[in-house]
Amino acid sequence: MEARNFITAREMLLDDNWLLTTINGEARYQKPPLPTWLTAFSAGIFGLESLYAMRLPAVLMAIFGVFFFYRFVTVLTKHKELAFISSLILITSFFFAFAGRNGQWDIFTHGFMIAAIYWGYLFFYHTEKRYRNALFSAFFIGLSFMSKGPVSLYVLFLPFVLAYGFAFKFRAFQKKWLPLFLWLLVALVISGWWYLYTYIFDTDTILNITNKETANWTNYNVKPFYYYWNFFMQTGLWILPGIISLMYPYLKDKVIHKKAYLFSLLWTLLTVVLLSIIPEKKQRYLLPVVIPFALNIGFYMEYIFRTFSEMRRAQESVPVYLQFSLVAIVGFLAPFVGGVWFWESIGDQWPWYILLSIAIFFGACYIVYHLRHRNIKNVFYASIIFTACAVVFGMPLIGVFNTNTAQNDMTELATWEKKNDIKVYEYSAFAPEFLWQYGNKMERIEVAEYENLVLKKGTIGVLVHENAVSKFLENSRKFEINIVEEYDINPVLKSNTKHNFRLHRYLYQVTTKQ
């Protein structure tokens, strides 16, 4: 998906397709263009070849989302420390951290929606500045819609409204009908203008895409209703506190704000339920659940902050010791285990490995020391820094998990094509990752047109994935064929069961027989 998004941004810049967006020259209206615009602007400034430039807008959007999450929790609970704790939990949750560094558009739609919820809460809760709050909320809802359609409106805003209405009720609403109407009007205009534009100027294509996308909701990646039962796993570091935070009878009389805790719990569970209703399911769709869940976990951690030094019941203290002891164990063992298993693969990245090892080892020592003295605040903040060090120093080492010594990408394919004056075509469905590496559009050959194309051109290059090779050879019996190159960007060898044929291509040179 990241490659698809980046290709669309590249074609925006190269082909000036800012409204009628394309991928490989074909219409791509499945996603609204706002995140693609931001990515294209960043690439225009820092360079199309830079992945850092392409990913920068997503990084900034994650920061934007955490900022408004902090402000929302602050005004909701009137407790800045709880807001700070919850924000740190959010930004170190696995799915949120991943979305914030990866060029997918989920972080944009949900980041803008967090801002819309903040201003929407002010609109619901306060009687003053109603029009300002309504307009800001509507504006950010529009931006969320322009990032990924109604996704976040359904899985983040709707459960927020339902949970808020149950926990807090909607008061003094008779004075808010007019600004509410303005809110609805502004949100509709910002959300819908691009869809109206594409419908007017490319009606048939937008209708075909809409029908296909709608059908996917019920026919593509269909999973059972309970598929998301393990949603707490997506928090990574916070799995155990997350499970405990869901125990309402245990926590309801211990948290600092009972209604707000009920609200965060309902918001989390309603988000899971609404996601579960849709037949199409993917694990990455759980990103919006992590947002209210961070607040839910924050209530539990704030309770631990207040009481752990005096906590004597094993049922309460053991989970805390277990949670942070596991973090410390990772810090103690990872430098030695990693050195034994991966030292030969680390190569010239060894300075990063040394920095990572030092940071997490001494971080583990710090955690153990303060855990023994029951200073849980220091333990918590040390875990946050531990996670940050693991990301900063660990990401440059991600290549050590690549065991495919035959890995070869398509960055030089365009050079070969130009040098030999041979046009290359894709024989089967293209892989966006390869197309991104290739750096330009690539035509696909329909099987029925393949023979005529070769006869017309005389010589062509053809990319074929391994599952289509036999069919390709059968269709090429009339021609001279020579294999030129093998492209494989799988992180594992072909002998591994995790090897994906979609990320593997053979380049053939096909010539008419003399």
Side-chain angles (χ1 to χ4, degrees), residues 336-448:
F336 301 101
V337 174
V340 171
W341 283 91
F342 299 111
W343 185 253
E344 290 184 3
S345 304
I346 290 171
D348 59 2
Q349 299 296 319
W350 65 266
W352 290 109
Y353 181 76
I354 299 299
L355 288 172
L356 173 64
S357 300
I358 292 172
I360 63 174
F361 181 83
F362 284 102
C365 293
Y366 188 88
I367 288 171
V368 169
Y369 175 82
H370 285 283
L371 196 57
R372 285 187 60 193
H373 290 81
R374 288 179 170 260
N375 190 339
I376 204 65
K377 280 191 179 184
N378 284 359
V379 172
F380 174 81
Y381 292 122
S383 298
I384 299 295
I385 296 171
F386 181 100
T387 305
C389 290
V391 172
V392 171
F393 300 136
M395 285 306 297
L397 298 169
I398 200 70
V400 303
F401 298 103
N402 186 344
T403 59
N404 187 359
T405 54
Q407 195 172 65
N408 181 27
D409 63 36
M410 283 190 186
T411 52
E412 299 299 320
L413 178 58
T415 304
W416 178 89
E417 192 175 18
K418 185 176 180 180
K419 178 182 177 181
N420 294 279
D421 194 24
I422 298 174
K423 185 173 177 59
V424 175
Y425 297 84
E426 174 66 73
Y427 181 77
S428 41
F430 76 88
E433 296 90 335
F434 281 132
L435 193 62
W436 168 253
Q437 294 171 355
Y438 176 63
N440 209 332
K441 303 184 192 70
M442 181 178 292
E443 291 184 40
R444 280 185 287 183
I445 304 175
E446 298 295 336
V447 175

Side-chain angles (χ1 to χ4, degrees), residues 21 33 45 90 96 148 198 203 214 248 262-263 330 346 351 374 392 409-410 415 423:
T21 50
I45 295 171
L90 176 60
F96 196 89
K148 207 177 178 183
T198 54
T203 305
T214 304
Y248 181 75
L262 174 62
F263 157 73
V330 171
I346 290 171
R374 288 179 170 260
V392 171
D409 63 36
M410 283 190 186
T415 304
K423 185 173 177 59

Side-chain angles (χ1 to χ4, degrees), residues 8 12 33 55 100 133 175 177 184 197 241 262 277 298 324 349 363 401 428 433 464:
T8 304
M12 271 186 175
R55 289 170 173 163
N133 296 336
K175 298 179 181 179
W177 287 113
L184 183 62
Y197 179 89
L262 174 62
I277 291 171
F324 295 106
Q349 299 296 319
F401 298 103
S428 41
E433 296 90 335
V464 187

